[in-house]
Amino acid sequence: MEFSIKSGNPEKQHSDCLIVGVFEDKKLSDSAKLLDESSLGAISAMIKAGDMNGELASTLLMHQLPNVMAKRILLVGLGEEKSFAAKQYLKALRAAVKAIPSVAKDVGFYFTELRFNGMTLHEKTAQIAEVFSDATYQVNALKSKKPTIVALKKVVIFVDKIQESDASLALAQGLAIAEGVKLAKDLGNLPGNVCTPTYLGKQAKQLAKDYGFKVDVLEKAEIEKLGMGSFLSVAQGSDEPMRLIVLQHKKGKKDQKPIALVGKGITFDTGGISLKSGSEMDEMKYDMCGAASVLGTFKTIGELDLPINAVGIIPACDNMPSGKALKPGDIVTSMSGQTIEVLNTDAEGRLVLCDALTYAERFEPSAVVDIATLTGACVIALGHHAAAVYSNQDALAAELIAAGEVAYDRAWHMPLWEEYQPQLDSNFADMANIGGRPAGSITAACFLARFANKYDWAHLDIAGVAWKSGKAKGGTGRPVPLLSTFLIKRAMVE
Ligand code: BES
Ligand code: MN
Ligand code: ZN
């Protein structure tokens, strides 16, 4: 798909399909009005006849309007004009994308002209690329019947002449984020027998080749040398070889400390000896979505060649039961030297992340953000709308949350109070790996915090947002938009 920015009146555009908005109460958007005037009232006639009432996300396809060069006009309902805002804009946009006729080879959006509080031209433009990509995503399914080929080749976003250069930058960023999201979805959707730690390592190497990142993919012997006893203890139950993946992008100032992204890469989580129950266990192939979001964000970084220094760290392995597997009660020694009593082998995410967090110290990072499908408790607390944010620096949490707001990839600040820490007390080791039933997402974050006290750190629990269950089962690519927006903003100030 080729996206471009253009300006010009709608009636003069040679296009297979132009997309314009219509409010309730017969109120036309600027472009709909121009088309209506040229066609001597063809659109208002349709509205009068009751074919289009402007209801939010309703659509009507019209053909061959008189004095209009485009072959088709897609009217999209915008709802009430006075309540039109970002949410409605995104909903109308999604409906429009879904209603594009399959024969159209090129389409043009007259959408950024819609004015309302809360979204800049930049956001409106970037979101066209992102929503478009999201709504037309096809799972790279392992189905023998290949998906139907779409005719659509070109998407034009119309803006005012003076907005063209601003919109072009916004489009580039929107497309780069969309690419990152797509990679994260693809990786998440792949099954555990394909998307193994080895496979993730290969993906990282491919990204490094495509964008000039430095890459190291460490194997078991090197991970042993580093003393990652906690990470190793999770991997020991599986025949699938483990990996520690390290990506580096160095395009910031030379002395600038990097931002490190650490992603949980459990390529399948059975729970280990503390085995999960069978229902929906297949969804634990998504337990590497933190890792996928790091790789996806690196794709965005690479596409934009952001002037920043960034490190990606991914501890990847399976969590399996076996004769060699970690057992409840086992005590392991983390890379930091702190010992951990493993009371539940299903709390494995924190066991792999703690060593990756210690490893991050060697990069002297300005901030470390870890991303993990860490706890079912997070899903209970926040459902599927917001990721949980924990941080040892309120300013960093605020920065991430603000980035999530701009990117429509929301997150919510959770407490990381000292009062929760005693839930991790162990009689036999420095700490236990679980903190009991109350506040499960918080105590998991408290555990990680003990390994992240040498730098500014934030933890995103993405268990509720990384994939959808049910009929629309699939990865969402979240929080790539949040992370990318966070890094783009950092690149602008630094
Ligand atoms: N990967 C899971 C968390 C998870 C569960 C994510 C359901 C999404 C949906 C994690 O490794 C896990 O099993 N956590 C346990 C922790 C518990 C044993 C303290 C959980 O949440 O049940
Ligand atoms: Mn688990
Ligand atoms: Zn897990």
Side-chain angles (χ1 to χ4, degrees), residues 264 269 276 284 287 344 346 348 373-376 434 463 467:
K264 173 178 173 183
D269 180 14
K276 287 183 182 294
M284 284 300 124
D287 214 15
N344 190 320
D346 198 11
E348 84 297 340
T373 49
L374 203 63
T375 64
I434 54 170
W467 76 90

Side-chain angles (χ1 to χ4, degrees), residues 397-428:
E399 198 181 340
L400 289 163
I401 289 165
E405 293 291 333
V406 172
Y408 299 92
D409 183 8
R410 285 190 292 180
W412 192 254
H413 199 169
M414 301 278 279
L416 190 69
W417 299 331
E418 280 301 315
E419 284 82 347
Y420 292 99
Q421 285 287 358
Q423 286 181 238
L424 295 170
D425 286 352
S426 158
N427 282 358
F428 307 106

